[in-house]
Amino acid sequence: EDQVTQSPEALRLQEGESSSLNCSYTVSGLRGLFWYRQDPGKGPEFLFTLYSAGEEKEKERLKATLTKKESFLHITAPKPEDSATYLCAVQAEETSGSRLTFGEGTQLTVNP
Amino acid sequence: DTEVTQTPKHLVMGMTNKKSLKCEQHMGHRAMYWYKQKAKKPPELMFVYSYEKLSINESVPSRFSPECPNSSLLNLHLHALQPEDSALYLCASSQWAYNEQFFGPGTRLTVL
């Protein structure tokens, strides 16, 4: 069974204090790993797709990396507007259709 | 344009009511999804439509009835819901079944 574990559950940072969020996964064969950002009461916003170990993608203050067992979302010099819940999801090669297995998310708070 | 729209934004209904949620995308995506999300939990997949045909039903109770009138529209018909069905209902779409999914803003449903 595919599993995704995100850590920490919650993270408080001061503005400008860089850190990383972790997404550990167990999947029979990885088709893709997805990162989303979700603000309270809103739908998840797509951030990145990673397909193979060693791949990296960047967008503004965010950088996502992938190994064979985990993915990291690095946040450099965060701002208060980066406060949100960050969700990681995997799609397995053998999955029927287009199922995503989500982690429970990391709730990030950036204080000014 | 990576926008998925959903109406209404909020819906309050009694257990005997019949209502519908609507979702629309104009990105030419061929896969569309319904998710249910409870507070502080990740989205849970309910239904997947691929090329306007239902491809996945995650054993959802029959009081939820999906419909895909055309490649741009997705409806979710609600009838005789229970209070525990109160949640944020999210629609998503993807270009094909195995691409990243783009979510709408959601409909906040309250069942009294």
Side-chain angles (χ1 to χ4, degrees):
Chain A
E1 183 180 338
D2 303 334
Q3 288 190 325
V4 177
T5 303
Q6 290 188 245
S7 61
E9 289 184 16
L11 181 62
R12 286 186 174 273
L13 300 173
Q14 288 298 121
E15 185 172 2
E17 179 186 2
S18 301
S19 188
S20 298
L21 311 183
N22 178 264
C23 171
S24 297
Y25 64 90
T26 303
V27 66
S28 53
L30 183 69
R31 181 182 295 277
L33 184 142
F34 307 91
W35 280 99
Y36 289 89
R37 168 204 169 117
Q38 187 171 25
D39 294 307
K42 298 189 177 181
E45 175 189 348
F46 170 73
L47 295 174
F48 303 109
T49 305
L50 301 167
Y51 293 106
S52 57
E55 191 174 1
E56 300 182 351
K57 289 193 177 173
E58 286 188 70
K59 178 182 178 181
E60 296 180 353
R61 295 178 293 282
L62 300 177
K63 179 180 178 180
T65 61
L66 182 65
T67 72
K68 290 186 177 180
K69 295 183 178 180
E70 57 192 351
S71 176
F72 290 94
L73 185 66
H74 306 279
I75 303 178
T76 301
K79 297 182 178 181
E81 52 262 43
D82 294 322
S83 297
T85 295
Y86 290 84
L87 293 167
C88 171
V90 298
Q91 191 174 66
E93 286 182 342
E94 295 178 1
T95 190
S96 173
S98 47
R99 283 187 184 83
L100 296 179
T101 300
F102 281 91
E104 294 286 311
T106 293
Q107 185 174 354
L108 175 65
T109 303
V110 182
N111 296 314
Chain B
D1 182 14
T2 55
E3 187 178 23
V4 176
T5 59
Q6 291 187 243
T7 55
K9 290 184 179 179
H10 302 277
L11 179 62
V12 179
M13 58 186 293
M15 290 189 285
T16 59
N17 292 156
K18 287 185 180 181
K19 297 286 185 182
S20 295
L21 309 184
K22 296 190 176 184
C23 173
E24 190 167 4
Q25 57 88 14
H26 293 289
M27 297 177 279
H29 289 177
R30 304 315 301 262
M32 296 186 76
Y33 313 78
W34 281 115
Y35 286 86
K36 173 182 177 180
Q37 187 176 27
K38 290 282 203 178
K40 299 193 179 298
K41 289 292 184 181
E44 296 175 43
L45 184 65
M46 300 175 70
F47 302 103
V48 180
Y49 274 83
S50 182
Y51 289 87
E52 301 163 49
K53 294 186 178 180
L54 184 65
S55 59
I56 295 177
N57 176 341
E58 293 285 53
S59 303
V60 178
S62 60
R63 58 185 183 269
F64 296 91
S65 176
E67 178 194 20
C68 189
N70 59 56
S71 61
S72 300
L73 294 174
L74 188 65
N75 297 322
L76 185 63
H77 303 296
L78 314 173
H79 172 55
L81 295 191
Q82 304 297 309
E84 57 265 29
D85 296 322
S86 298
L88 182 67
Y89 286 83
L90 296 163
C91 174
S93 71
S94 63
Q95 185 175 14
W96 313 110
Y98 301 113
N99 295 108
E100 52 271 0
Q101 298 177 20
F102 293 91
F103 286 82
T107 293
R108 172 67 62 187
L109 174 67
T110 302
V111 182
L112 301 177

